[in-house]
Amino acid sequence: MPELPVTSTALAAITLEILLMLAGLALLWRTTLSPAAQARPPVRHLTVWAVTWVDFVMFLWYIVLCAFIFQTGAVYLLKKAGPLDQQALVLAGLAFQLGALAGCAAFRYLRPPRPTFDYFDPAPEAAQRLPFAAGLVTFLIVLPLLGGIAFIWQSLLRITGQEVTPQSLVGVFADSPSPGFSALLVFFAVVVAPVTEELVFRRGLFRFARQHLPRWAALLVPSLLFAALHQNLASFAPLVVLGVVFSLAYERTGNIAVTMIAHGIFNLNSVILIYAGVNQ
């Protein structure tokens, strides 16, 4: 069994996490599970992304190509500076994220002027005015869901003899060599990664799949890819659920800023727990 954290900082973080989960359960009941919520008709404001299969393949090509170019360039420069250590590999991964983001921008601005790849879609007035509030609500709702799924999934892994290990970035955050490097990691985790991943997996993959696959498959397939990208068995099922909930929030609001904000807050919450010394 893992040792329980006993520091005052860890206990304060756990207390706050419990309060956030209770708030999330209340919101989940009010918005989804209560009889009143069940009686309301479903709200879906996601607009149609009118692109062809050729456009979609081009979208993926821009992302993969730019990510490869950025990461290859970063590795080349890092090798010239010295041997590739763990910190250098992390920087190469960050360059990959920047490259994928550049690929989204390249698809938007460099391709021929066919149907546009808008970053912010038409959305309900409330979502346009208050995307942060909608993102915060989404984060709170997903928190208890992921807590329960993570407990069940990791228990099943232990029962079947699988080793349950945290994502490699957990150790990188915990063992960061300098405050400056820590600040860079936090910036990428809270800003760059949420923006990039939401544009790729929700704004791109989910929205396109929603037009061509059954709804359940459109929700599941991008979420499976999203979870697999993190390359960690212990977090696979929780990340699938996270992707599904974010897709539902995007479908409901039609505003990709909502899921970007929810994703950023979720990553910030994880970073705070790591720095507080909470066993992941």
Side-chain angles (χ1 to χ4, degrees):
M1 294 293 292
E3 294 182 2
L4 292 175
V6 295
T7 67
S8 58
T9 302
L11 290 175
I14 291 172
T15 302
L16 177 60
E17 196 74 1
I18 292 172
L19 293 174
L20 291 175
M21 285 189 176
L22 291 174
L25 286 171
L27 286 168
L28 181 62
W29 171 259
R30 179 179 178 182
T31 61
T32 307
L33 302 178
S34 69
Q38 292 286 328
R40 289 194 293 266
V43 178
R44 295 170 188 168
H45 292 283
L46 187 62
T47 55
V48 174
W49 188 26
V51 296
T52 65
W53 279 94
V54 173
D55 285 322
F56 181 66
V57 171
M58 185 68 68
F59 165 65
L60 297 178
W61 170 248
Y62 271 111
I63 292 170
V64 172
L65 179 63
C66 291
F68 176 77
I69 291 173
F70 273 58
Q71 187 173 53
T72 302
V75 169
Y76 174 77
L77 294 175
L78 290 167
K79 280 185 175 179
K80 293 191 69 173
L84 292 179
D85 54 11
Q86 181 66 30
Q87 182 175 343
L89 292 175
V90 171
L91 291 174
L94 300 184
F96 184 89
Q97 285 270 2
L98 278 178
L101 184 59
C104 292
F107 177 77
R108 172 64 178 86
Y109 293 108
L110 299 182
R111 72 191 187 97
R114 291 189 296 274
T116 60
F117 181 78
D118 295 323
Y119 288 140
F120 298 95
D121 311 313
E125 185 179 352
Q128 290 182 4
R129 289 200 315 266
L130 301 172
F132 183 84
L136 179 60
V137 168
T138 301
F139 159 73
L140 290 172
I141 288 175
V142 83
L143 204 57
L145 291 175
L146 261 63
I149 293 296
F151 177 79
I152 296 170
W153 173 249
Q154 293 176 14
S155 297
L156 290 174
L157 290 178
R158 291 189 178 97
I159 290 172
T160 56
Q162 301 293 324
E163 185 178 3
V164 177
T165 57
Q167 295 185 48
S168 58
L169 278 178
V170 173
V172 173
F173 273 101
D175 303 325
S176 179
S178 68
F181 188 67
S182 295
L184 179 65
L185 288 176
V186 172
F187 175 74
F188 267 83
V190 177
V191 179
V192 177
V195 171
T196 302
E197 292 173 4
E198 292 308 307
L199 286 176
V200 173
F201 289 100
R202 252 63 66 185
R203 180 60 182 83
L205 295 179
F206 169 68
R207 197 174 188 207
F208 185 76
R210 189 68 183 89
Q211 311 305 321
H212 298 277
L213 298 176
R215 185 167 176 262
W216 67 267
L219 290 168
L220 187 59
V221 172
S223 300
L224 288 170
L225 294 173
F226 170 71
L229 183 69
H230 290 77
Q231 302 179 30
N232 181 258
L233 184 60
S235 63
F236 179 78
L239 287 175
V240 171
V241 175
L242 183 72
V244 170
V245 173
F246 282 172
S247 293
L248 289 171
Y250 179 37
E251 183 183 57
R252 180 181 179 86
T253 64
N255 191 345
I256 195 63
V258 171
T259 58
M260 288 178 180
I261 292 167
H263 197 153
I265 298 173
F266 177 82
N267 284 0
L268 177 62
N269 178 71
S270 300
V271 169
I272 291 172
L273 290 175
I274 294 170
Y275 283 138
V278 177
N279 191 314
Q280 294 296 296

